[in-house]
Amino acid sequence: MQISWAARTDRGLSRSQNEDKYCARPDLGLFVVADGMGGHAGGEIAAGLAVDQIRQAIETTAGLSRDDSWPMPFDIRSGIDGNRLRVGLTMANARIAQEIKGFEKLRGMGTTVVAILVTGCKVALANIGDSRAYLQRGASLRRLTKDHSWVEEQIRAGTLTEAAARHHPWRNIVTRALSGCDELLIDVTELEFEAGDRLLLCSDGLTAVLEDSEIQRVVAAPTDLQGVCDELVGRANAAGGPDNITTVVVAVAAN
Ligand code: CA
């Protein structure tokens, strides 16, 4: 399988800076989107630290098997690559905790993360917060991640509709993030890529303004991957661009 990818990040039309970060390392099979939060440049710092730390963890665990000295307890619910992502996010959280300890004004900073690790046709996926992964297969777009956000919890509990959530004043509140917290709850899943699939990673600056049906139409169009990213960002800005927008699209082709 050969990986192709494209990415685009944009400040949007309302924010003074871009606190989203992404990483694309096809040589490692690693793609990450992180959406930082917190004042005093904290959001940008947290997202940057997370992306760097996850990349380092994936580099240092490349080629390790479960029998080697695994850097943290191995979670049997997922395979090697799922555990490698778990190590990456856990180390990133620890790094953020360390930074907050050293600089009091960074207290409260944190970041969401959605990350995939592609090995052959296998994809491990990890997320925390409200950045999302979608899989476009054939005519359908499937959301692969659950948002860890206040509004998503209300939707699942049946007390808020999707439409109402879109305009709710608490729509930006995430219930889980890499924030140097003691107890880290990361969602990890694994799936298989099929030829023709497109996998989208994005920050909530996209999904807060575009419905899934609109995202589906753009990702499924016979446009090249960069064209897809540019179109998604363009549409989010056309809808007001209230937040930073990041899109990473990954596809595989049989060799
Ligand atoms: Ca955001």
Side-chain angles (χ1 to χ4, degrees):
M1 292 276 192
Q2 193 170 351
I3 300 178
S4 52
W5 64 279
R8 172 99 183 253
T9 187
D10 191 272
R11 188 164 53 85
L13 302 177
S14 303
R15 299 285 171 94
S16 59
Q17 53 202 13
N18 191 348
E19 299 188 329
D20 285 359
K21 300 278 176 205
Y22 75 91
C23 161
R25 284 288 303 271
D27 56 319
L28 298 170
L30 178 69
F31 299 87
V32 185
V33 168
D35 174 356
M37 59 201 85
H40 298 285
E44 202 178 351
I45 292 169
L49 286 174
V51 164
D52 283 351
Q53 199 67 59
I54 292 166
R55 179 186 42 73
Q56 274 181 41
I58 296 308
E59 280 172 345
T60 54
T61 55
L64 277 190
S65 79
R66 203 188 148 174
D67 301 326
D68 294 319
S69 51
W70 198 255
M72 54 181 263
F74 196 93
D75 190 322
I76 55 165
R77 289 171 299 175
S78 37
I80 293 277
D81 282 349
N83 274 280
R84 290 173 70 200
L85 286 175
R86 213 183 280 280
V87 168
L89 270 70
T90 305
M91 285 172 64
N93 186 59
R95 182 78 183 79
I96 288 167
Q98 194 184 24
E99 202 70 16
I100 289 171
K101 228 172 162 183
F103 300 93
E104 179 60 30
K105 65 180 182 183
L106 294 179
R107 184 164 299 282
M109 77 172 177
T111 185
T112 73
V113 168
V114 59
I116 58 166
L117 192 52
V118 185
T119 307
C121 62
K122 292 198 185 315
V123 183
L125 162 69
N127 80 292
I128 187 163
D130 63 357
S131 297
R132 292 181 183 170
Y134 289 91
L135 179 69
Q136 174 73 42
R137 177 170 290 171
S140 77
L141 182 82
R142 183 158 63 97
R143 199 188 298 180
L144 300 174
T145 48
K146 281 190 191 126
D147 293 350
H148 304 136
S149 66
W150 185 85
V151 290
E152 177 98 355
E153 285 175 6
Q154 303 311 307
I155 291 167
R156 257 181 263 145
T159 56
L160 200 66
T161 63
E162 291 251 6
R166 210 165 267 284
H167 305 287
H168 198 282
W170 292 1
R171 64 188 176 278
N172 292 323
I173 295 181
V174 296
T175 48
R176 293 194 224 163
L178 299 186
S179 57
C181 49
D182 293 336
E183 209 177 323
L184 199 56
L185 279 170
I186 304 162
D187 287 351
V188 177
T189 52
E190 282 152 323
L191 62 142
E192 291 210 359
F193 248 136
E194 292 179 6
D197 286 353
R198 287 178 167 183
L199 209 152
L200 167 70
L201 307 180
C202 59
S203 61
D204 72 327
L206 181 76
T207 54
V209 290
L210 297 196
E211 304 271 0
D212 285 5
S213 55
E214 186 171 4
I215 295 173
Q216 188 273 333
R217 282 195 297 278
V218 176
V219 180
T223 319
D224 64 33
L225 301 185
Q226 191 61 54
V228 168
C229 290
D230 294 348
E231 179 72 18
L232 288 171
V233 168
R235 287 187 185 216
N237 277 331
D243 195 1
N244 308 142
I245 311 142
T246 301
T247 60
V248 175
V249 182
V250 180
V252 293
N255 285 333

